[in-house]
Amino acid sequence: MNAYVVVLAGFGVVVLLTAWLPMVLKELPLSLPIFCVGLGALIFAFPELPGVMPHPGEELAIVEHLSEFVVIISLMGAGLKIDRPFGWKRWRLTWRLLGIAMPLTILGLVWMGQQMLGLSLAASLLLAGALAPTDPVLASDVQVGPPMDREEDEVRFTLTSEAGLNDGLAFPFVLLAISLTQEGGVTGVAEWFVYAVAWKIAAGIGMGYGVGRALGWLTFHLPNRAKLSRTGAGFVALGITCIAYGLTEMVRGYGFLAVFVAALALRATEPEHEYHQKLHDFAEELERLMMMVLLVLFGGAITGGDLFDALTWQAAAFAFLAIFVVRPLAGWIGLIGTHPPSGEKAAIGFFGIRGIGSVYYLAYAMGHAKFDDGHLLWSTTGFIILVSIVLHGITVTPTMRRLDLRRKLAERTAARA
């Protein structure tokens, strides 16, 4: 049988499932990512298929670029859906997660990686940097709604904005891990700070803002006949994403950061325009399709690619501590002194979902440097992603529904008082 025809038919099935499954699973304690991983694991578990699905470590370039693409599309969608204007006070919970919770998470995971898994400093730092960000792809179920939805509660807004920014801000730690594998790694730390922290973050923010404002002007403020918004074409979001990412990477800035900032800047150009809805919808549909494809392959890597071949009980313990202790504890510390109720703070800490971004960082770093215990890093990261997908996928719907109910009851009580 022609392999191309089989792949084409399989892709058609994935497209239809991408459209239909969210409606079917909406009221069930089962998420689309769980189904995708299960489908991939089932397909590639057949005895006739061994060897078809390689280990991710054997195809680093493909894994890196596929995961990179779905992350940048997700970041554009996340930026477009945020209604809240950018500001220090308005985003104060986000800054706390980025400035306190994420560094604490990285410190905790680095220590655990060395003590529990016996990793070198470089390998444990890579693992920590890859696992620290909340994934913008898989966290869509706890994010705010589409543009002008008018329902941006603190939990959803904080997780959306954190996921949009921390992918770029975790990159310096991944680059530091790479630098530590090189000769003269200590000397490289100073260079790392100037280049990987100061320059690349500034370039990412500056390029993202410039591209977003420029394309926002072209989209909304040209003479009426030339306005790009008159096309009504949602795929313009893809062009904006690629321009922001590509130009920023050309000047050695953080493209992930630039895409999210560009989306915010574009949205701020004309906040109430209905065209944002079309841009967001296209980005969300493309993201969901690419996510489903990648998660099917992830499930296949588990059963057909021996992704867990190096998984040990220590690595499994590391995974559960990372998900149930390190991130929630770091999130709680980061939010000390803020106003949300304890239940909302707990939700923000707990739903630090790990996913596609972690795969990208691991593939990127291993493509640029040699790390000891590479298979252990892949097995541990893959297991954490699997646990996160299942755990958070089952709990997100009832948890968010309960928080919404509590918030509405509190608002009614306040209105009567």
Side-chain angles (χ1 to χ4, degrees), residues 2 13 23 37 54 58 77 81 105 125 166 180-181 213 216 242 271 298 356 373 411 415:
N2 190 309
V13 172
M23 295 183 293
V37 174
E58 299 172 5
K81 70 173 67 171
T105 300
L125 183 58
N166 66 6
L180 291 175
T181 66
R213 296 299 288 189
C242 294
F298 173 68
I356 306 300
D373 300 308
E411 289 173 355

Side-chain angles (χ1 to χ4, degrees), residues 315-350:
F318 176 97
F320 285 107
L321 286 173
I323 292 173
F324 287 100
V325 178
V326 177
R327 159 67 191 203
L329 181 59
W332 177 78
I333 294 173
L335 297 178
I336 289 176
T338 58
H339 67 275
S342 58
E344 294 188 4
K345 290 181 182 179
I348 292 171
F350 179 69

